[in-house]
Amino acid sequence: MSSSTERRRSESANSRRTPTPPPVDDTPLAAFFAQFAAFSFKENQSSNKNFDRLIRVLRIDAKDPQKREVREGFKDALVQEFNTRFGTDGNDISNWQNLCGVLRIDPVPDTIKECRKCVWDTHVNLVDLIDSARTGEPVKLFASLGELTAYTLQKPRKLFPKENAYQGGLLKELLREIINPYFGKRKNGSAKRKERKRKQKATRAAVELDF
């Protein structure tokens, strides 16, 4: 097979795996921040830094009910942004292959089962994942759950909503694996149960409980 034919096939496969991103102005996060006339959304800045700047611009007191209302709107926008960038159907292989591409999994698997395994074995902050899709910067990957947890909880905390009405099937599946990961066969006594509980505690710290 000629090299030009191989190149065309490779480009065609990549185009199927990576959907064209929507214009920034049309995304849920941009629409959320656009509600506030006095605020200027910086697309190359992290979502959390944009939100912190918004709170300062609005001069909302920590006890002001408006702050919770604005935060809830931000959480909704984060979830909707994930849906826009990565899809909602957990049974669509193109969604999983897109995730694998953003997570720099190479080669990208050809089955949903293998994609799931590769994605679940990768430690990444979900807010960073969304920001990476918008900015084009490579997403930061972590060697362990402990490193991811420490990073997630440092200020400014990059916490992702654990539950939200806008979650699609793909996101629900990812969060289910983060919060209740499966660590091997459920047998052979208490040692494995203790190890699972330890790892589950670490993973739960990497997603938001109620902020």
Side-chain angles (χ1 to χ4, degrees):
M1 183 185 300
S2 68
S3 60
S4 60
T5 301
E6 290 178 346
R7 184 167 59 254
R8 285 195 299 272
R9 288 188 176 181
S10 176
E11 291 172 351
S12 176
N14 288 336
S15 67
R16 291 195 300 270
R17 289 170 181 167
T18 307
T20 302
V24 172
D25 291 344
D26 293 341
T27 63
L29 277 171
F32 165 75
F33 287 115
Q35 299 176 83
F36 307 96
F39 182 78
S40 178
F41 174 57
K42 295 182 179 180
E43 62 183 76
N44 292 323
Q45 192 174 64
S46 73
S47 300
N48 283 69
K49 286 185 177 179
N50 271 293
F51 180 77
D52 289 344
R53 284 195 304 109
L54 173 63
I55 294 300
R56 291 196 296 271
V57 168
L58 296 179
R59 299 181 180 180
I60 302 176
D61 184 83
K63 297 181 180 179
D64 191 326
Q66 184 186 3
K67 183 173 183 179
R68 182 172 183 82
E69 181 180 341
V70 173
R71 190 180 294 278
E72 290 300 316
F74 175 60
K75 292 194 295 184
D76 287 347
L78 273 178
V79 172
Q80 291 173 310
E81 186 88 1
F82 179 94
N83 293 341
T84 299
R85 298 285 181 178
F86 299 104
T88 59
D89 188 354
N91 294 314
D92 186 339
I93 189 170
S94 65
N95 291 339
W96 285 100
Q97 289 179 326
N98 181 34
L99 273 174
C100 287
V102 175
L103 295 175
R104 304 191 294 281
I105 295 168
D106 186 29
V108 173
D110 293 324
T111 68
I112 290 180
K113 181 179 179 180
E114 286 301 314
C115 285
R116 281 191 177 108
K117 184 179 185 302
C118 290
V119 170
W120 291 343
D121 288 343
T122 304
H123 305 301
V124 62
N125 180 277
L126 290 180
V127 179
D128 280 354
L129 182 65
I130 291 171
D131 288 342
S132 174
R134 182 181 70 251
T135 65
E137 294 293 324
V139 66
K140 184 178 180 64
L141 305 179
F142 297 88
S144 68
L145 288 171
E147 288 184 14
L148 171 59
T149 300
Y151 169 83
T152 298
L153 296 181
Q154 71 182 12
K155 292 185 177 181
R157 298 192 301 171
K158 294 186 176 182
L159 301 171
F160 196 87
K162 184 184 72 169
E163 295 179 352
N164 186 278
Y166 293 103
Q167 285 175 5
L170 179 64
L171 180 55
K172 285 180 179 179
E173 193 166 337
L174 288 178
L175 288 171
R176 183 167 62 246
E177 178 62 18
I178 290 172
I179 297 166
N180 293 299
Y182 178 70
F183 298 107
K185 296 180 180 179
R186 303 175 191 271
K187 63 180 182 179
N188 295 336
S190 62
K192 282 195 174 184
R193 287 196 297 272
K194 289 180 180 179
E195 178 66 5
R196 285 199 302 271
K197 287 180 180 180
R198 183 188 69 78
K199 290 183 178 180
Q200 286 170 350
K201 183 177 180 181
T203 54
R204 288 191 182 103
V207 293
E208 175 203 7
L209 298 180
D210 185 19
F211 83 110

